[in-house]
Amino acid sequence: MQAIGVFDSGVGGLTVLRALKARWPAENFIYLADTARLPYGNKSLSTVHNYVGQCLKFFKAYDLKAVVVACNTASAAIIEKPIASEVPVFNVIEPGARKAVEASGTGRVGILATRATVHAEAYPHAILRLKPDAEVFQQACPLWVPLVEEGWIDDPVTNIIVYRYVSAILKNNLDTLIMGCTHYPVLREAIAKAAGNSIALVDSSQGLVEDLKSRIEMNEEATTGTVKILATDFSPRLEETARLILRGTTFDSIEPVDL
Ligand code: DGL
């Protein structure tokens, strides 16, 4: 039984899994959350690169048709230094950059991301490759991941912290903002409220769906596949937060795993 491996440092990548499962319900998914080592976003790219290597190695035990690195920080690490793999590996930065270029009328694009992703400059590079006259601005939002992992999604404290980062980057007169961390689409309502109606909000999922469709033979049948969640650190709270983020997308099992 072939599956698609989806990998993130935590539960944020479930936003990507949700989008993939909505598009291809018949596919089987194995989601790996490296919760024991979360956050990746405050670590150096070479440390994150080692973690990604271990996670890709772990996936070798499964019969996979593709691996989706559903973590922007991990994606930045492997774009800089690709890791050889027998199955196609997809990142979330290139599809996100492409969707932002499509969405932006002025070419002034803002990136909200972790410190490590900002530091790697993976988004500016990807955008400028597609549109050399674009102007790209970046804002690290290090407090957002803990809020999402804690499940504080609709909360006044979260709204204030979201506003603080969004208002800082909006000073650059942008028309498009990339939610450049897989945790951030969970805060979409708060981000949209802080950004206002005139700003296009982009996450990578839509572009990723296009990438998978163009490179992999996906199962388009009307059956229902399985979703298995594995986490390197497991707590009852994790299951609760996973359900909150998956918003109705069901999973068959959630289990601890040792890499
Ligand atoms: N989900 C990760 C990303 O997309 C960030 C979370 C973390 O810092 O581990 O960059």
Side-chain angles (χ1 to χ4, degrees), residues 152-185:
W152 288 19
I153 290 154
D154 182 17
D155 189 285
V157 172
T158 303
N159 289 337
I160 290 171
I161 297 173
V162 166
Y163 181 79
R164 174 105 182 223
Y165 292 121
V166 172
S167 58
I169 195 165
L170 281 188
K171 293 193 179 110
N172 298 298
N173 194 21
L174 317 159
D175 72 347
T176 303
L177 266 181
I178 300 183
M179 295 182 282
C181 168
T182 39
H183 285 69
Y184 299 175

Side-chain angles (χ1 to χ4, degrees), residues 8-9 38-42 70-73 114 117 145 180-183:
D8 182 38
S9 55
L38 176 105
Y40 280 13
N42 296 337
C71 171
N72 290 258
T73 312
T114 64
T117 302
V145 168
C181 168
T182 39
H183 285 69

Side-chain angles (χ1 to χ4, degrees), residues 45-57:
L45 231 46
S46 68
T47 297
V48 172
H49 193 269
N50 283 340
Y51 294 170
V52 182
Q54 286 167 25
C55 293
L56 290 181
K57 204 160 154 197

Side-chain angles (χ1 to χ4, degrees), residues 43-225:
K43 298 193 169 74
S44 73
L45 231 46
S46 68
T47 297
V48 172
H49 193 269
N50 283 340
Y51 294 170
V52 182
Q54 286 167 25
C55 293
L56 290 181
K57 204 160 154 197
F58 170 80
F59 271 140
K60 280 189 180 168
Y62 294 87
D63 182 16
L64 299 184
K65 58 163 93 168
V67 173
V68 172
V69 177
C71 171
N72 290 258
T73 312
S75 292
I78 57 163
I79 286 174
E80 187 161 284
K81 197 169 150 202
I83 296 176
S85 163
E86 278 160 23
V87 294
V89 176
F90 291 81
N91 72 76
V92 285
I93 288 187
E94 282 155 346
R98 189 175 73 244
K99 291 319 252 183
V101 168
E102 286 170 17
S104 175
T106 62
R108 297 178 71 84
V109 177
I111 318 294
L112 304 165
T114 64
R115 282 208 175 98
T117 302
V118 165
H119 186 68
E121 305 228 322
Y123 271 109
H125 291 155
I127 291 172
L128 292 170
R129 265 199 301 276
L130 298 169
K131 187 172 168 53
D133 62 343
E135 287 192 76
V136 187
F137 305 88
Q138 302 198 89
Q139 174 67 51
C141 311
L143 294 179
W144 289 4
V145 168
L147 291 170
V148 172
E149 291 287 326
E150 195 54 37
W152 288 19
I153 290 154
D154 182 17
D155 189 285
V157 172
T158 303
N159 289 337
I160 290 171
I161 297 173
V162 166
Y163 181 79
R164 174 105 182 223
Y165 292 121
V166 172
S167 58
I169 195 165
L170 281 188
K171 293 193 179 110
N172 298 298
N173 194 21
L174 317 159
D175 72 347
T176 303
L177 266 181
I178 300 183
M179 295 182 282
C181 168
T182 39
H183 285 69
Y184 299 175
V186 179
L187 303 175
R188 187 180 193 111
E189 269 179 44
I191 297 170
K193 219 188 292 167
N197 294 335
S198 59
I199 306 288
L201 283 187
V202 172
D203 80 68
S204 300
S205 298
Q206 192 48 45
L208 181 67
V209 164
E210 294 169 3
D211 286 1
L212 280 166
K213 196 171 162 43
S214 69
R215 282 180 55 200
I216 302 288
E217 189 151 342
M218 299 296 286
N219 187 345
E220 302 281 357
E221 287 165 26
T223 52
T224 306

Side-chain angles (χ1 to χ4, degrees), residues 233-243 254:
D233 182 64
F234 190 80
S235 67
R237 172 109 195 120
L238 181 75
E239 184 164 349
E240 217 179 287
T241 313
R243 285 189 201 284
I254 181 164

